[in-house]
Amino acid sequence: DVKVTQSSRYLVKRTGEKVFLECVQDMDHENMFWYRQDPGLGLRLIYFSYDVKMKEKGDIPEGYSVSREKKERFSLILESASTNQTSMYLCASSTTQPYYGYTFGSGTRLTVV
Amino acid sequence: AQTVTQSQPEMSVQEAETVTLSCTYDTSENNYYLFWYKQPPSRQMILVIRQEAYKQQNATENRFSVNFQKAAKSFSLKISDSQLGDTAMYFCAFMRGNTGTASKLTFGTGTRLQVTL
């Protein structure tokens, strides 16, 4: 069964900490994405990557960075966590064919205290 | 920029009944795709159904069907014979075709559907 795996289901971090959210896909997909999900706001794109070491900003990149050193792994980094980054974070991957949409991970619920 | 609007934050339907979830979008593109995703309490986003803009025929997947009105930029989801397992958050999403790099999904704010006995 193909999948996208997010390393943590729940995470609690302190304000100012550097936080790493990890995502691994086993489908050899070219594209990977990080979204955050907040009630009433839906899913908003933070960053995406279309190839190893290639990245582009999404709609809300402030306060975040990403790393894609290997095709299967896409990391989201909160350089200095703040309480307004408390949210659900969803990773997804896709092929180059838009028709197939995305495959999602099961999310990481991050709480910053 | 594309926008996707879901005007129904919450809906409720009785088991075995039919329910329709609304979605409108705004774009100047001619080549695009539309999707409905389901997110149950387990949080796993599941693709329910997809529609290619150049296809006039409405997509169907078992109990799920769409009413795609391209001129009106409307993409509603109909769930027939609702089941308790259909209880979830439903997201409508838009994707441009042929962008050259990664095709990004733009999501609506979601509709929470509760199926009751």
Side-chain angles (χ1 to χ4, degrees):
Chain A
D1 192 19
V2 294
K3 61 174 60 174
V4 175
T5 302
Q6 293 185 232
S7 55
S8 303
R9 191 162 174 83
Y10 297 95
L11 212 52
V12 180
K13 294 292 182 180
R14 295 194 180 278
T15 302
E17 276 193 77
K18 190 169 186 177
V19 181
F20 293 84
L21 302 184
E22 306 288 345
C23 176
V24 177
Q25 52 100 358
D26 64 0
M27 297 165 285
D28 201 35
H29 282 173
E30 292 80 4
N31 306 321
M32 296 188 75
F33 307 84
W34 276 106
Y35 284 81
R36 66 176 281 175
Q37 181 180 358
D38 300 289
L41 297 177
L43 280 74
R44 294 178 292 166
L45 182 63
I46 304 171
Y47 266 97
F48 66 100
S49 168
Y50 52 90
D51 200 352
V52 176
K53 297 190 186 295
M54 305 304 290
K55 60 186 179 184
E56 284 195 25
K57 294 179 180 179
D59 300 318
I60 52 165
E62 297 77 19
Y64 303 94
S65 63
V66 290
S67 172
R68 193 169 181 200
E69 296 297 320
K70 294 184 178 181
K71 189 175 185 179
E72 68 270 19
R73 187 181 296 271
F74 192 37
S75 303
L76 180 69
I77 303 157
L78 285 65
E79 297 289 343
S80 178
S82 64
T83 54
N84 63 14
Q85 293 177 309
T86 291
S87 186
M88 171 77 77
Y89 290 87
L90 290 170
C91 176
S93 69
S94 74
T95 70
T96 56
Q97 302 301 314
Y99 172 81
Y100 296 103
Y102 292 0
T103 301
F104 282 87
S106 55
T108 295
R109 189 175 295 281
L110 172 68
T111 302
V112 182
V113 298
Chain B
Q2 290 75 30
T3 59
V4 178
T5 301
Q6 295 179 250
S7 58
Q8 306 151 314
E10 294 185 356
M11 294 191 73
S12 181
V13 63
Q14 286 193 320
E15 201 176 21
E17 297 295 308
T18 296
V19 64
T20 299
L21 279 58
S22 300
C23 173
T24 59
Y25 59 95
D26 188 24
T27 184
S28 58
E29 302 285 334
N30 208 33
N31 178 20
Y32 55 89
Y33 301 82
L34 295 162
F35 302 84
W36 278 98
Y37 279 88
K38 167 185 176 181
Q39 187 182 43
S42 67
R43 301 179 347 200
Q44 183 69 53
M45 292 278 277
I46 302 164
L47 177 63
V48 175
I49 198 166
R50 69 184 127 224
Q51 176 80 40
E52 296 157 272
Y54 65 86
K55 287 190 175 179
Q56 291 190 342
Q57 186 173 4
N58 289 325
T60 61
E61 288 287 343
N62 301 313
R63 298 182 295 107
F64 299 87
S65 62
V66 298
N67 183 5
F68 174 47
Q69 301 288 328
K70 190 172 183 179
K73 297 180 181 175
S74 171
F75 183 61
S76 60
L77 174 69
K78 185 171 84 171
I79 306 174
S80 304
D81 186 26
S82 297
Q83 300 175 0
L84 294 177
D86 295 334
T87 292
M89 183 74 97
Y90 287 81
F91 290 98
C92 178
F94 171 100
M95 180 187 285
R96 290 169 58 198
N98 300 329
T99 62
T101 58
S103 295
K104 296 172 285 184
L105 273 173
T106 299
F107 287 87
T109 52
T111 296
R112 185 174 301 279
L113 178 67
Q114 180 73 46
V115 180
T116 59
L117 291 170

